[in-house]
C-alpha cells in the first residue's frame, strides 16, 4: 500500500479516504511531537528515509518552485560543529530571559543533535525558478513558506513511520551555513534531528512543563474580520 500510493504518478483525485484512513491522518497530526531527548541509536533504514524525503518533496510550493534541498548529516564531526553552534546560540538565548525564566529555559532539552542518527538540513534556494515566480510577485517570502511546508510534510511522514523529528532553530544561520558549506545565497530553513525514539510524548513538553499552555481554538477563530465575533456562530461550539 505504502509503495502503491507513492509510485502512482496520478492517483485518482476522486479517491475518497475511508474512515480508517481519515483516522490515520488525524492520528499522525495529533501524535506528532517535536523530539529532543528520546532518540535511539539504531540507524534509520534508507528505504524509510527515502519515503520521508519523498513526502517532503511533495509539499506544496509557490509557483511549483520546489525551492528546497535536503542535506543529510551522518558524520559525527559535522554534527559536532553544529552542536557547538547550538551551544553558543543557547547561551545567548538564555541571557535574554529574566532570572526565573532563564533557569527554567536552561533546564529544557532543546536539541538532539549528537544523539539522533540522522541530521537533516532543509534549505531554500530563493532563485530556483528564476526572477519571476507565479504567486511570489507580491509576497517574496512565499518561497520560504514553501520550504516550511516541506518540513511539515516530512515531520508528519516521519511520525507515520515511527521516526521522531526535532527542529533545532537555536543556531546562528551563518554558523550552520559554515558547518554544511551552504552558499550565501541559499537560506537554511530548518536543521532537523531524526531517529527512532523510545516514545512519543502525549503532549508538547513546553505544555507539560508549564512553559505555555495550548491556546483555546475558540479564542482565536474570528468571523469576517480581525477579532470579529458574532456570538451566534454554531462553529464555535464545535471547536471546544
Ligand atoms: C519553526 C520551529 C522552530 C523550533 N525550534 C526548536 C528548537 O530550537 N528547539 C526545540 O527544542 N524545539 C523547537 N521547536 C519545537 C517546538 O518547541 C514545538 O513544536 C512546540 O513546543 C510544540 O510541541 P510539539 O511539536 O511536540 O507539538 C521548533 C518548532 C518550530 C515549528
Amino acid at each position: 500500500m505504502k509503495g502503491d500510493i507513492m509510485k502512482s504518478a496520478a492517483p485518482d483525485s476522486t479517491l475518497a479516504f475511508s474512515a480508517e484512513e481519515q483516522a490515520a491522518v488525524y492520528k499522525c497530526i495529533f501524535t506528532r511531537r517535536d523530539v529532543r531527548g528520546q532518540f535511539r541509536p539504531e540507524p534509520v533504514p534508507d528505504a524509510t528515509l527515502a519515503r520521508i524525503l519523498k513526502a517532503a518533496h511533495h509539499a506544496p510550493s509557490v509557483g511549483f518552485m520546489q525551492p528546497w534541498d535536503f542535506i543529510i548529516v551522518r558524520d559525527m564531526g559535522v554534527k559536532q560543529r553544529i552542536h557547538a553552534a547550538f551551544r553558543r546560540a543557547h547561551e545567548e538565548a538564555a541571557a535574554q530571559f529574566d532570572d526565573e525564566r532563564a533557569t527554567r529555559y536552561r533546564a529544557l532539552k532543546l536539541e538532539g543533535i549528537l544523539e539522533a542518527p540522522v541530521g537533516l538540513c532543509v534549505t531554500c534556494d530563493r532563485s530556483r525558478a528564476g526572477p519571476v515566480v507565479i504567486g511570489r510577485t507580491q509576497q517574496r517570502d512565499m518561497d520560504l513558506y514553501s520550504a516550511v511546508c516541506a518540513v511539515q510534510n516530512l515531520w508528519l511522514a516521519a511520525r507515520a513511520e515511527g521516526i521522531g523529528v526535532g527542529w533545532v532553530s537555536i543556531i546562528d544561520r551563518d554558523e550552520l551555513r559554515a558547518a554544511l558549506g551552504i552558499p550565501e545565497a541559499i537560506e537554511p530553513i530548518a536543521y532537523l534531528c531524526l531517529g527512532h525514539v523510545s516514545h512519543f510524548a502525549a503532549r508538547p513538553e513546553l505544555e507539560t512543563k508549564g512553559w505555555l499552555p495550548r491556546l483555546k481554538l475558540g479564542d482565536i477563530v474570528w468571523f469576517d474580520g480581525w477579532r470579529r465575533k458574532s456570538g451566534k456562530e454554531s462553529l464555535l461550539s464545535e471547536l471546544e
Side-chain angles (χ1 to χ4, degrees), residues 29-36 86 105 108-112 148 151-152 155 165-171 189-191 201 203-207 214:
I29 289 169
F30 292 124
T31 64
R32 180 211 51 78
R33 285 279 75 82
D34 185 83
V35 175
R36 284 88 73 160
F86 164 80
Y105 174 82
L108 296 168
K109 176 149 173 61
L110 298 176
E111 53 77 38
V148 175
V151 175
Q152 181 70 349
W155 214 334
V165 175
W167 186 327
V168 191
S169 55
I170 308 163
I171 303 180
I189 297 297
Y191 186 81
R203 293 195 290 149
E205 196 186 336
L206 293 187
E207 186 183 16
R214 186 177 297 283

Side-chain angles (χ1 to χ4, degrees), residues 53-99:
L53 288 169
K54 277 183 199 166
H57 187 47
H58 281 249
S61 62
V62 69
F64 200 35
M65 187 180 169
Q66 305 160 75
W68 42 72
D69 282 80
F70 303 100
I71 306 172
I72 292 159
V73 180
R74 291 202 175 103
D75 183 279
M76 189 45 90
V78 177
K79 286 182 184 171
Q80 277 164 346
R81 284 192 71 182
I82 293 168
H83 190 248
F86 164 80
R87 285 173 60 119
R88 282 188 285 277
H90 189 50
E91 275 310 306
E92 280 175 30
Q96 293 178 33
F97 294 103
D98 63 30
D99 284 356

Side-chain angles (χ1 to χ4, degrees), residues 94 97-108 211:
F97 294 103
D98 63 30
D99 284 356
E100 187 264 339
R101 265 319 223 198
T103 306
R104 290 174 63 204
Y105 174 82
R106 282 181 205 281
L108 296 168
W211 188 266

Side-chain angles (χ1 to χ4, degrees), residues 62-67 125-134 136:
V62 69
F64 200 35
M65 187 180 169
Q66 305 160 75
D125 180 349
R126 309 206 67 180
S127 60
R128 173 139 309 163
V132 187
V133 173
I134 295 177
R136 207 186 150 216

